[in-house]
Amino acid sequence: MATLEQADRLRERANVSYDEAKAALDATGGDILEALIYLEKRGKAAAPAGGGYYNSEKPAPAAPTQENHQNHQQADYQQPRHDTGERFSDLLKRFGNFCVKLIKKGNANSFEVSRDGESVFSLPVTVLVLLFIFTFWITLPLLVIGLFFGFHYRFYGPDLGKQSVNKVMDSASSAADSIKKSVNEEFRSEK
């Protein structure tokens, strides 16, 4: 439903009556530019002087050739896929940019394994994520078993080196140490 303000704006631009402006806006879902083109196509509004920015005239179709057919097929792939007007190629480009940013952040931050206060090894978070994705059934048990053998894990870097993240890792190490001590005490008391 077109608003009075939209109809007034269209009336000023297209020099049409209120009823014509309202009908054009209703036919185009309230889009003023589309309504202006709609009125131009019906001869109720004059095209802008000097060529303007919009044109409702369609070029005459060319004789069908193999090249035109290929161009037409290629144009079909480049048409918007959603009502948002965003092309599939634009979505892929945005997804690619997101992945690149994610990989850069993963490479800037590291996962460190230490024992008795000395660093055993360190690897980028990207590698750790890939290990979890492709070898989850091996990586997770190794990390858990490592906790019981006195290994401690920490993240460091500009994004993951925060105190809260490492506090969680320290509490996991402390929990593993307390479980290990209680199991040792139970084992000794049984002897």
Side-chain angles (χ1 to χ4, degrees):
M1 182 94 188
T3 65
L4 181 61
E5 180 183 331
Q6 289 175 317
D8 283 339
R9 288 180 62 197
L10 184 58
R11 282 183 58 220
E12 289 174 13
R13 292 189 180 183
N15 197 20
V16 294
S17 70
Y18 175 78
D19 289 335
E20 290 171 328
K22 185 172 179 340
L25 285 166
D26 287 342
T28 59
D31 188 330
I32 293 178
L33 179 59
E34 288 295 322
L36 198 54
I37 293 171
Y38 176 86
L39 290 169
E40 181 189 330
K41 285 180 180 179
R42 279 149 188 76
K44 296 186 183 216
Y53 292 102
Y54 64 91
N55 186 0
S56 62
E57 295 178 18
K58 293 184 179 177
T65 63
Q66 180 66 20
E67 183 179 326
N68 286 345
H69 181 68
Q70 288 174 347
N71 289 342
H72 180 68
Q73 284 180 335
Q74 189 176 23
D76 286 346
Y77 289 116
Q78 296 174 353
Q79 293 299 317
R81 299 293 189 229
H82 304 286
D83 290 333
T84 61
E86 195 166 20
R87 296 181 182 161
F88 184 68
S89 60
D90 294 337
L91 288 172
L92 284 177
K93 184 182 268 186
R94 281 185 35 213
F95 179 72
N97 289 339
F98 171 76
C99 289
V100 167
K101 284 182 186 177
L102 203 60
I103 290 171
K104 283 183 180 179
K105 279 190 176 192
N107 290 340
N109 296 285
S110 296
F111 177 75
E112 180 183 57
V113 178
S114 62
R115 186 171 187 193
D116 299 328
E118 292 184 27
S119 177
V120 177
F121 70 90
S122 173
L123 60 131
V125 172
T126 306
V127 174
L128 180 67
V129 169
L130 290 174
L131 285 172
F132 267 109
I133 290 172
F134 295 111
T135 60
F136 177 80
W137 56 93
I138 297 171
T139 306
L140 184 63
L142 283 177
L143 288 175
V144 172
I145 291 170
L147 287 172
F148 291 102
F149 282 99
F151 289 99
H152 295 274
Y153 309 119
R154 296 189 63 76
F155 288 102
Y156 63 92
D159 299 312
L160 292 177
K162 309 291 188 239
Q163 189 66 16
S164 59
V165 174
N166 288 325
K167 195 179 284 189
V168 171
M169 302 301 282
D170 290 340
S171 66
S173 296
S174 299
D177 287 342
S178 65
I179 290 172
K180 186 171 68 173
K181 287 178 185 176
S182 66
V183 167
N184 281 340
E185 288 173 6
E186 285 291 321
F187 187 68
R188 287 182 187 155
S189 66
E190 289 181 5
K191 285 185 177 184

